[in-house]
Amino acid sequence: MEKVRVNLGPGYDICIGEGILSGLGPALNEYGLSPKTLLVSNSSVDKLYGDKVSRSLEKAGFTVAREVIPDGEEHKNLQTASRLFDAAAAARLDRRSAVVALGGGVTGDMAGFVAATYLRGLPLVQAPTTLLAQVDSSIGGKVAVNHARGKNLIGAFHQPLLVWSDLETLQTLPYRELLTGLAENIKHGIIADTSLFYYIRDSLAAILAASHASVAEMAARSCRVKVGVVEQDELEQGLRAVLNLGHTFGHAVESVTGYCRYRHGEAVALGIAAASRLSHSLGILPEHDLKEIISLLERAGLPVSGTGLTPGELYEALAYDKKVVAGEIRFVLPVKIGKAEVFQGLQQEDILQAFRTVC
Amino acid sequence: MEKVRVNLGPGYDICIGEGILSGLGPALNEYGLSPKTLLVSNSSVDKLYGDKVSRSLEKAGFTVAREVIPDGEEHKNLQTASRLFDAAAAARLDRRSAVVALGGGVTGDMAGFVAATYLRGLPLVQAPTTLLAQVDSSIGGKVAVNHARGKNLIGAFHQPLLVWSDLETLQTLPYRELLTGLAENIKHGIIADTSLFYYIRDSLAAILAASHASVAEMAARSCRVKVGVVEQDELEQGLRAVLNLGHTFGHAVESVTGYCRYRHGEAVALGIAAASRLSHSLGILPEHDLKEIISLLERAGLPVSGTGLTPGELYEALAYDKKVVAGEIRFVLPVKIGKAEVFQGLQQEDILQAFRTVC
């Protein structure tokens, strides 16, 4: 088992290993928690791993209230959160009760939001079962639910007590879900780790086959990129914004398509493609790097164009982006493979042009 | 205008003055905020002061989205919060947009919860218009909404940018609301400031007549007690618990009566009475101090007994209290007038006996 230490708040560990889910209960015994816990997962994950995790917790002395939420981004809202608050109250959780999020990004974000706000904050244990959650959403403390007007509009910063990543769960992950996680790994390479980018390029076939060794190597490196960035900027005052590469454009795509048509990582891939082309057309990103980026996304089977949307409707959706401050949108653009920066004061025409490349 | 500095987070000021509401706009110009603001108040407060505050903000260059929530503790829930999230989204607030809470504790708690979670945290301006909010709920960063199973179960710690207390608003405050705030002032005296307690005792007639000088003196001293406690323990790890004197019993009363029959301060008065009698019967609080406490509450017209409830149902309601940790309830008991402490391991019979004195 590999441990990555995160120095935020009191500090916590990301534990990455193969077949470690059944060890979660004993691991939690180290933290002085109350016996009552709330285990949150979605219907598909609960069927696969709910019993295993529940048994592990119970054997370690915990009482487990198990709550299964519906699967899918469209349920990541205040109504579903409200059901989890009901479950927390019915289970009579107290301030040292852990909320365990077993699942992907939606489960982690929702259970995390409930953990951040129930009794003004409960210990949160992230047990991510998707590649996306393992290398991205479970790390860094961002938790949220969507609002009809935009993604993640309601949320908090709430660092977990522990992240417990079992790579074995990737074996049961649908291929499209593996791909959506891959987009974030590629993003981590582009913004901060040239060698990670080329590692993914050179090991793509093995990664797409969910080969343990290749995915483990990629996931651990990718975690370190994210940890390195959030440690320097927990509350997204500056540097952390580079993690949003592809996300400003990508959120607009998700928003216009109602969070249904594209998986998050697919929308991010479209966003990375748009941002990279814009960066190149502004004379920032070299042509060689642009070609490498587009080619890797395409070889991975991720979308880079052809959404059938209009630039105008995508531009309109930007107004609800959290990253808009005082009417000005900040964009993250790749400078080269391995480095991204935040740009302000871009012209509307540039942004429309970037959107046009994915329409 | 008097300023009390609060050294929490980046630090903020509590400004207390007479007729200062119309100066709020210019005051906010110092903070580098976005022009878009959300002004939240309830229907009665909006009628009295909404235009004045709105004009002040607009004259200072802000665009004001005005949202009026229904009056009363029973509306302090996720459903009303959801309306405020809608208003925030419709107004296209950004991360430097202020949420201004104009009103009493319910308005401050609700608008504060929305400010704490919308876009993962917006600047919050508290403009409290009740005595309770001015000396208690607007200070210290606790924000929350109620859950059907208990009060303030869903919330956060979110320190305001500024607290702007206009004592002139107390002139329009219903008498019963003045009383409910008085209970918290008396509490502050009991837990930490002997001379504040006796100041209230000796100036009671003037305070009940809302005499400016007496209320101002009491409010400023009372603020300082609260600020002193929360500065030492922002996240309620220890000392801050003494502020809960009367609140564990009081919340049980409010919960059993559905938050309708008693004003918060009245429930707290019942709780202070119960806690003081329990403390005396355990040999902790001297008889003289018990008599002074009960006598002051009674002279103020606050309830100290006769709820008609049963000790059993009140005891049952305790299980949902946030202050329960690992099944154990911690109680704050007065040790003498001017000092309170947290006690653990009290027997069920003692607690039932304390409840019996208010039944």
Side-chain angles (χ1 to χ4, degrees):
Chain A
M1 189 162 70
E2 190 162 351
K3 274 190 194 186
V4 179
R5 182 74 185 165
V6 186
N7 295 305
L8 287 177
Y12 59 94
D13 289 321
I14 301 171
C15 299
I16 308 171
E18 186 83 7
I20 62 174
L21 268 187
S22 53
L24 182 58
L28 287 184
N29 272 335
E30 309 297 308
Y31 291 90
L33 296 165
S34 298
K36 293 171 192 165
T37 58
L38 178 65
L39 174 62
V40 181
S41 62
N42 71 28
S43 37
S44 23
V45 173
D46 183 70
K47 266 185 217 116
L48 289 164
Y49 303 110
D51 286 342
K52 185 187 277 187
V53 172
S54 198
R55 268 200 304 272
S56 165
L57 291 167
E58 280 165 2
K59 264 175 67 180
F62 294 98
T63 317
V64 182
R66 216 160 134 181
E67 191 67 16
V68 176
I69 58 177
D71 207 352
E73 186 81 31
E74 67 275 25
H75 300 291
K76 193 177 112 175
N77 53 32
L78 268 188
Q79 287 69 49
T80 313
S82 188
R83 275 187 41 197
L84 293 181
F85 287 128
D86 293 347
R92 305 196 174 196
L93 297 192
D94 67 55
R95 284 184 175 160
R96 290 301 301 160
S97 291
V99 174
V100 180
L102 175 68
V106 169
T107 302
D109 276 8
M110 293 248 347
F113 178 69
V114 168
T117 53
Y118 192 72
L119 306 185
R120 295 198 182 89
L122 301 181
L124 170 66
V125 176
Q126 294 274 16
T129 62
T130 67
L131 182 57
L132 176 72
Q134 288 176 353
V135 303
D136 187 13
S137 58
S138 71
I139 307 166
K142 280 193 181 182
V143 295
V145 298
N146 299 329
H147 182 273
R149 297 251 200 178
K151 200 166 160 165
N152 295 331
L153 288 189
I154 303 164
F157 289 97
H158 188 62
Q159 298 300 332
L161 185 72
L162 175 68
V163 181
W164 196 255
S165 277
D166 189 344
L167 295 172
E168 208 175 79
T169 60
L170 302 183
Q171 300 300 328
T172 55
L173 192 67
Y175 187 70
R176 201 175 171 198
E177 287 294 342
L178 189 74
L179 276 191
T180 197
L182 185 56
E184 298 287 356
N185 285 276
I186 293 171
K187 182 199 76 180
H188 287 158
I190 297 171
I191 64 174
D193 187 343
T194 316
S195 74
L196 170 60
F197 181 90
Y198 288 111
Y199 177 80
I200 297 172
R201 185 192 69 174
D202 298 337
S203 321
L204 189 64
I207 290 168
L208 291 177
S211 135
H212 170 59
S214 307
V215 171
E217 172 74 20
M218 174 181 73
R221 283 196 195 191
S222 191
C223 272
R224 280 200 196 86
V225 168
K226 172 113 189 209
V227 168
V229 172
V230 296
E231 275 185 354
Q232 290 174 69
D233 178 24
E234 181 178 6
L235 302 180
E236 201 166 15
Q237 307 290 305
L239 175 69
R240 186 163 178 164
V242 300
L243 291 170
N244 289 320
L245 173 66
H247 282 65
T248 305
F249 289 116
H251 280 178
V253 169
E254 288 181 287
S255 169
V256 170
T257 55
Y259 305 108
C260 294
R261 181 161 147 213
Y262 292 102
R263 293 275 158 191
H264 176 63
E266 293 168 340
V268 168
L270 285 161
I272 292 173
S276 300
R277 291 177 188 129
L278 173 58
S279 182
H280 175 63
S281 75
L282 293 171
I284 300 163
L285 183 70
E287 182 160 8
H288 166 267
D289 290 19
L290 172 64
K291 283 186 171 163
E292 286 280 1
I293 291 170
I294 300 293
S295 155
L296 178 54
L297 293 171
E298 283 187 317
R299 281 178 55 225
L302 287 161
V304 295
S305 63
T307 60
L309 305 170
T310 71
E313 63 189 342
L314 290 168
Y315 189 82
E316 170 69 12
L318 287 180
Y320 290 105
D321 198 285
K322 285 189 300 304
K323 294 170 283 294
V324 174
V325 173
E328 186 159 273
I329 302 171
R330 291 172 297 163
F331 278 97
V332 183
L333 300 181
V335 171
K336 60 170 192 160
I337 290 172
K339 187 171 167 57
E341 283 177 9
V342 177
F343 291 82
Q344 282 185 292
L346 290 180
Q347 299 304 305
Q348 181 173 354
E349 185 39 49
D350 293 327
I351 294 161
L352 285 169
Q353 176 53 35
F355 275 137
R356 219 162 276 139
T357 71
V358 298
C359 285
Chain B
M1 188 161 70
E2 190 162 351
K3 274 191 195 186
V4 179
R5 182 75 185 164
V6 186
N7 295 306
L8 288 177
Y12 59 94
D13 289 322
I14 301 172
C15 299
I16 308 172
E18 186 83 7
I20 62 174
L21 268 188
S22 51
L24 182 57
L28 287 185
N29 272 335
E30 308 297 309
Y31 291 89
L33 295 166
S34 297
K36 293 171 193 166
T37 58
L38 178 65
L39 174 62
V40 181
S41 61
N42 71 28
S43 37
S44 23
V45 173
D46 182 71
K47 266 184 217 116
L48 288 163
Y49 303 111
D51 286 344
K52 186 187 276 187
V53 172
S54 197
R55 267 198 304 272
S56 165
L57 291 168
E58 281 165 3
K59 264 174 68 180
F62 293 98
T63 316
V64 182
R66 218 159 132 180
E67 191 67 17
V68 177
I69 58 178
D71 207 352
E73 185 81 33
E74 67 274 26
H75 300 291
K76 193 177 112 176
N77 53 32
L78 269 187
Q79 287 69 49
T80 313
S82 188
R83 274 187 41 197
L84 293 180
F85 287 127
D86 294 346
R92 305 195 174 196
L93 297 191
D94 67 55
R95 285 184 173 160
R96 290 301 302 159
S97 291
V99 174
V100 180
L102 175 68
V106 169
T107 302
D109 276 8
M110 294 247 349
F113 177 69
V114 168
T117 53
Y118 191 72
L119 307 186
R120 296 200 181 86
L122 300 181
L124 170 66
V125 176
Q126 293 274 16
T129 61
T130 67
L131 183 56
L132 176 71
Q134 288 176 352
V135 304
D136 187 13
S137 57
S138 71
I139 307 166
K142 279 192 180 183
V143 295
V145 298
N146 299 329
H147 182 274
R149 297 250 198 178
K151 201 166 158 163
N152 295 332
L153 288 189
I154 302 164
F157 289 98
H158 188 62
Q159 298 300 333
L161 185 73
L162 175 68
V163 181
W164 196 255
S165 277
D166 188 343
L167 296 172
E168 209 174 78
T169 60
L170 302 183
Q171 301 299 330
T172 53
L173 193 66
Y175 187 69
R176 202 175 170 197
E177 288 293 341
L178 189 73
L179 276 190
T180 196
L182 186 56
E184 298 286 357
N185 284 277
I186 293 171
K187 182 199 77 179
H188 287 157
I190 297 172
I191 63 173
D193 188 342
T194 316
S195 73
L196 170 60
F197 181 90
Y198 287 111
Y199 176 79
I200 297 171
R201 185 192 68 176
D202 297 338
S203 320
L204 190 63
I207 290 168
L208 291 177
S211 136
H212 170 59
S214 307
V215 171
E217 173 75 19
M218 175 181 71
R221 284 196 196 192
S222 192
C223 272
R224 280 199 195 86
V225 168
K226 172 114 190 207
V227 168
V229 173
V230 295
E231 276 185 353
Q232 289 173 69
D233 177 24
E234 180 179 6
L235 302 180
E236 201 166 13
Q237 307 291 305
L239 175 69
R240 186 164 178 164
V242 300
L243 292 169
N244 289 320
L245 173 67
H247 281 65
T248 305
F249 289 116
H251 280 177
V253 169
E254 288 182 286
S255 169
V256 170
T257 55
Y259 305 108
C260 295
R261 180 160 147 214
Y262 292 102
R263 293 273 160 193
H264 176 64
E266 293 168 340
V268 168
L270 285 162
I272 293 173
S276 301
R277 292 178 188 127
L278 174 57
S279 182
H280 176 63
S281 75
L282 293 171
I284 300 163
L285 183 70
E287 182 159 8
H288 166 268
D289 291 18
L290 172 64
K291 284 185 170 163
E292 287 280 2
I293 291 169
I294 300 293
S295 154
L296 178 53
L297 293 171
E298 282 186 318
R299 281 177 54 225
L302 287 160
V304 294
S305 63
T307 59
L309 305 171
T310 71
E313 63 188 343
L314 289 168
Y315 189 83
E316 170 69 11
L318 287 181
Y320 290 106
D321 198 285
K322 285 189 299 305
K323 294 171 283 296
V324 174
V325 173
E328 187 160 271
I329 301 171
R330 292 171 296 162
F331 278 98
V332 182
L333 299 181
V335 171
K336 60 171 193 160
I337 290 172
K339 188 172 166 56
E341 282 175 12
V342 177
F343 290 83
Q344 283 185 294
L346 291 179
Q347 300 304 305
Q348 181 174 354
E349 185 39 49
D350 292 328
I351 294 161
L352 285 168
Q353 176 54 35
F355 275 137
R356 220 163 274 139
T357 71
V358 298
C359 285

